[in-house]
Amino acid sequence: MSDIRRTCAWAASAVVLLALPFYLDRFWLQAGLFAMAAAIGAIGINLLTGATGQLSMGHAFFLAIGAYGYCVLAGDGGDGLTGLGLPTWLAAALAVALAGLAGGLFSPIAGRLRGAYLGIATLALIFIGQHVLFNAHDLTGGSNGRDVPPLNLFGLTFDESETVVAAVPFGSAEKLWYAGLVLLLACGLFARGVLRGRPGRAMNAIRDHRVAAGVIGVPVARYRAGVFVLSSMYAGFAGVLLALVFQRTVPDYFGMTLSLEYLAMIVIGGLGSVSGAVAGAALVSLLPQLLTRYSDALPLVSAPGTGGISPGEASRYLYGAAVVAVVLFLPGGLVRLTARRRATQATPATPGTPGTSGETA
């Protein structure tokens, strides 16, 4: 019966997600798209940090490669910046591959370092990336950033030109909503397959005891390097989707704060869990947007530049407190709450147990 209920819940959720673009305004659709992009990136870093135990502080660097790589590959140079003018679908795929290539170049280091040493090494990527983004003006547009070419896929252009479906005009946000859903579903299912298969068991063994994993035949350095490349490609996917949603890339966004937010996502949601990464990403990415939307109705929170606590600062305080609360009281993250509820429902009632129909001894 529980499996039937679960299937019905998934089916109802799918119907709701597919119908939302017909009813929500642009703000909520963009907020949802930000959450989808964050979820894809969070799944990638959860494979690296949560499942394999490799601390990475440079996830934002690979998001930037995905976002700017797409702009350079798909741009036509009409704005005075470097652009190769490739088909946008090909540019998106190559941008993800470029992020994976960057991860591959760093993977020999990732395969040999661990703990705080790897965290510090990946932190250097943020400083390198920020220097390049601000100074390679022909590629990135400098501090002003550069416009993002709209995606064209199967003859459908994901721009503001309206496509009417069931008498409802679909703009870029509505079109990207379905593309984001497909991409998130594909990334989530692939990561779930990895974690449930032999690679996932090897990754968990490396996380729990590196020496023991090597003794039983797991190629530790090769797995660490491979997971780092895979995580980088997930970040590239997230960067491309973020660029398409923002419609303009700016260097300030891809800084250290973004990397810290991704670590907060997987800690709050649950380390080593795909569903936990999605839940944590939704919380951390949606919170500042909701606080901005309703800042007038909330105490102590005010619009940026008007005094008081800005929505961005308030959101960091809140999910910072959430990280502390999870570490102290719920080490498994938000996903553990669902697991506990399922375990409670699956536990059969035994005679003599208080609260059951059996007689007490």
Side-chain angles (χ1 to χ4, degrees):
M1 184 63 70
S2 60
D3 292 337
I4 296 177
R5 286 199 299 264
R6 193 179 307 166
T7 302
C8 292
W10 278 109
S13 300
V15 171
V16 169
L17 289 173
L18 291 173
L20 283 178
F22 290 90
Y23 301 99
L24 296 182
D25 61 24
R26 186 180 181 86
F27 169 82
W28 294 108
L29 291 176
Q30 282 193 330
L33 284 166
F34 291 146
M36 291 179 199
I40 293 170
I43 292 171
I45 196 172
N46 218 357
L47 291 172
L48 181 67
T49 302
T52 317
Q54 295 178 272
L55 177 63
S56 174
M57 300 286 289
H59 209 54
F61 173 78
F62 299 103
L63 269 91
I65 290 180
Y68 279 95
Y70 172 77
C71 293
V72 172
L73 294 168
D76 58 5
D79 52 2
L81 302 177
T82 301
L84 301 183
L86 298 178
T88 53
W89 63 268
L90 179 60
L94 291 178
V96 174
L98 190 62
L101 176 61
L105 293 176
F106 191 82
S107 62
I109 299 174
R112 288 166 174 78
L113 296 179
R114 58 192 179 97
Y117 298 102
L118 179 59
I120 294 171
T122 54
L123 185 61
L125 294 175
I126 296 294
F127 298 112
I128 295 172
Q130 287 289 288
H131 177 77
V132 173
L133 293 180
F134 277 104
N135 292 282
H137 187 275
D138 290 341
L139 289 175
T140 66
S143 58
N144 293 325
R146 64 180 297 167
D147 292 329
V148 179
L151 178 67
N152 189 292
L153 187 63
F154 303 124
L156 179 64
T157 303
F158 293 78
D159 58 6
E160 292 300 336
S161 61
E162 291 187 352
T163 301
V164 180
V165 178
V168 177
F170 273 38
S172 63
E174 290 83 2
K175 300 172 192 174
L176 284 172
W177 178 271
Y178 294 109
L181 283 179
V182 172
L183 186 58
L184 176 57
L185 180 63
C187 290
L189 290 177
F190 181 82
R192 191 176 182 183
V194 169
L195 291 175
R196 291 189 172 186
R198 184 176 178 180
R201 292 191 292 272
M203 291 154 59
N204 293 157
I206 294 171
R207 176 196 62 195
D208 296 335
H209 203 295
R210 176 180 58 89
V211 176
V215 169
I216 63 176
V218 176
V220 176
R222 190 173 70 188
Y223 262 97
R224 283 182 164 178
V227 174
F228 199 92
V229 172
L230 181 60
S231 175
S232 302
M233 294 181 71
Y234 269 82
F237 271 118
V240 172
L241 183 55
L242 276 174
L244 292 172
V245 177
F246 273 124
Q247 299 180 353
R248 188 171 185 84
T249 56
V250 289
D252 287 329
Y253 181 77
F254 301 98
M256 190 186 305
T257 300
L258 183 62
S259 289
L260 294 176
E261 287 178 353
Y262 273 102
L263 290 176
M265 291 174 193
I266 62 174
V267 171
I268 294 173
L271 293 172
S273 167
V274 173
S275 57
V278 175
L283 176 64
V284 173
S285 62
L286 291 177
L287 191 57
Q289 298 180 70
L290 293 176
L291 291 177
T292 302
R293 176 84 169 189
Y294 299 107
S295 59
D296 294 339
L298 297 174
L300 302 178
V301 180
S302 59
T306 60
I309 302 176
S310 68
E313 292 175 340
S315 63
R316 293 188 186 100
Y317 294 148
L318 289 175
Y319 63 69
V323 168
V324 175
V326 164
V327 170
L328 292 178
F329 306 110
L330 194 65
L334 296 176
V335 72
R336 180 64 62 88
L337 294 175
T338 305
R340 285 181 179 177
R341 187 181 65 181
R342 289 177 181 173
T344 302
Q345 293 174 348
T347 302
T350 57
T353 302
T356 68
S357 58
E359 294 180 0
T360 58

